[in-house]
Amino acid sequence: MEADLLYDSKCTLAESPQWHEKLRSFLWVDIEKGTLYQFCTREEKVRTWTFPHRLTMVMEGANDQLILALDAKLARFDLQTENLEWLIDIEKGLPDNRCNDGACDAKGRLWVGTMCTQFTDNAGALYMVDNDLSLQQKLYPVSISNGISWSLDHKTMFYIDSPTGKIQAFRFDLSTGNIEYKRNVVNIPKEMGVPDGMCTDENGMLWVAHYGGFGVHQWHPETGLLLDKIDVPAPNVTSCAFGGQNGNQLLITTAKENLGKEQLERYPESGSVFIAKMKVKGAGVYKCGF
């Protein structure tokens, strides 16, 4: 299966793809340029907003607001008024750290990871932000906190710390948000790239963006077997998310960072976002409760 170009965004580091049902829009960010993108599927129009920060994540929040991760802080953003309201500082006193990937559980709690901008090993962590904005550190240390997803029964949380090359499974208590390490479910060979963003389909299978791996791979979380691959004409594939009116489109983000001149000439669509028509739909996703 091959992905088609949706929008030539020329992002340095496109990430955090999301489907916004009410807006009938795909959202994503360019982390290094601090830009938020909205692609309206009805009009096929793109709107952008740029912030003087690294913009690492966008999530749908309560009351038609968006939740943004800007450097190491969370903010609430109104697309209509363009009002930005600061909410919480994830890691005070760590100026070299920033937020990275995130996801909401079925209770509306936001799980967001951090990493060092100097790529120092074991300098980041994984946090849970509850609906009252209370903050709990859930995993420490991690190096590059990335994909987070859940099993269909909400009893398992899947998590990627990219340099490990693994997808880990944690026992997950939906009522409390407590996690307990269970096992490594997938070990990804280095020649297949580094695991990055991740999402779950309606059958509970994991779709994982492989940075340096030219695609999104489908992995079985019980057997650890590779089931399928979506080829992307860009080496550094960063994340993926199901969406579209029928929930059967996969939005795929890529990056042009870390590519030399010859590579960029060979793969000129690096940094763009792609779309794939899927045979399955995505599992339910949840917005932030704040």
Side-chain angles (χ1 to χ4, degrees):
M1 187 188 308
E2 294 185 359
D4 297 315
L5 180 68
L6 178 71
Y7 184 69
D8 185 13
S9 53
K10 295 182 172 60
C11 292
T12 301
L13 178 53
E15 269 280 10
S16 192
Q18 299 286 328
W19 169 250
H20 195 297
E21 178 66 26
K22 185 174 181 179
L23 297 176
R24 288 288 197 271
S25 296
F26 285 110
L27 305 172
W28 69 91
V29 304
D30 185 346
I31 291 180
E32 296 300 328
K33 294 179 182 177
T35 302
L36 169 65
Y37 288 83
Q38 177 194 0
F39 182 94
C40 180
T41 57
R42 284 177 293 200
E43 302 171 358
E44 295 194 351
K45 274 189 176 181
V46 173
R47 298 175 68 196
T48 63
W49 298 261
T50 300
F51 304 85
H53 306 273
R54 288 185 178 93
L55 172 57
T56 74
M57 182 195 72
V58 56
M59 297 292 298
E60 187 176 354
N63 302 316
D64 296 327
Q65 307 285 294
L66 298 180
I67 302 300
L68 306 180
L70 296 158
D71 291 319
K73 297 181 180 180
L74 297 183
R76 185 180 287 123
F77 183 62
D78 189 308
L79 284 176
Q80 302 305 316
T81 66
E82 301 187 344
N83 180 63
L84 184 74
E85 176 189 358
W86 293 105
L87 297 176
I88 184 173
D89 196 333
I90 299 293
E91 287 188 327
K92 290 182 179 179
L94 295 173
D96 287 337
N97 276 22
R98 67 164 174 84
C99 294
N100 203 40
D101 208 350
C104 282
D105 65 26
K107 292 288 187 180
R109 297 169 299 213
L110 175 63
W111 294 72
V112 57
T114 61
M115 59 174 284
C116 179
T117 56
Q118 308 303 313
F119 300 99
T120 304
D121 288 341
N122 298 318
L126 177 67
Y127 296 89
M128 184 185 78
V129 184
D130 215 328
N131 294 331
D132 62 358
L133 296 180
S134 59
L135 183 69
Q136 294 182 42
Q137 188 182 88
K138 291 296 186 177
L139 289 177
Y140 178 84
V142 300
S143 294
I144 302 179
S145 186
N146 255 314
I148 307 166
S149 191
W150 284 269
S151 60
L152 300 181
D153 62 6
H154 308 292
K155 293 182 178 180
T156 303
M157 185 183 83
F158 301 105
Y159 175 70
I160 293 171
D161 180 9
S162 288
T164 68
K166 303 177 187 300
I167 304 174
Q168 297 176 308
F170 292 81
R171 293 183 182 87
F172 180 71
D173 188 326
L174 180 61
S175 62
T176 64
N178 290 336
I179 60 173
E180 179 186 359
Y181 174 76
K182 187 162 55 171
R183 64 189 179 93
N184 293 331
V185 296
V186 179
N187 296 289
I188 296 171
K190 288 184 179 181
E191 60 268 22
M192 293 180 67
V194 177
D196 201 322
M198 171 173 59
C199 62
T200 305
D201 69 27
E202 62 183 346
N203 299 319
M205 301 298 105
L206 303 176
W207 293 86
V208 182
H210 286 215
Y211 192 98
F214 289 90
V216 176
H217 296 66
Q218 184 192 32
W219 295 95
H220 196 299
E222 298 300 326
T223 65
L225 294 177
L226 178 64
L227 303 177
D228 201 355
K229 180 189 178 184
I230 301 170
D231 293 312
V232 179
N236 295 339
V237 183
T238 58
S239 195
C240 54
F242 281 92
Q245 190 169 353
N246 298 315
N248 64 344
Q249 292 178 298
L250 193 72
L251 182 70
I252 302 166
T253 52
T254 67
K256 64 178 182 180
E257 64 169 10
N258 299 323
L259 297 178
K261 182 180 178 181
E262 289 185 4
Q263 287 177 301
L264 288 172
E265 289 176 352
R266 188 174 181 182
Y267 308 110
E269 294 175 334
S270 294
S272 299
V273 293
F274 297 84
I275 199 84
K277 181 70 176 294
M278 307 294 288
K279 297 178 182 178
V280 295
K281 297 181 180 181
V285 295
Y286 303 93
K287 63 182 181 181
C288 295
F290 53 86

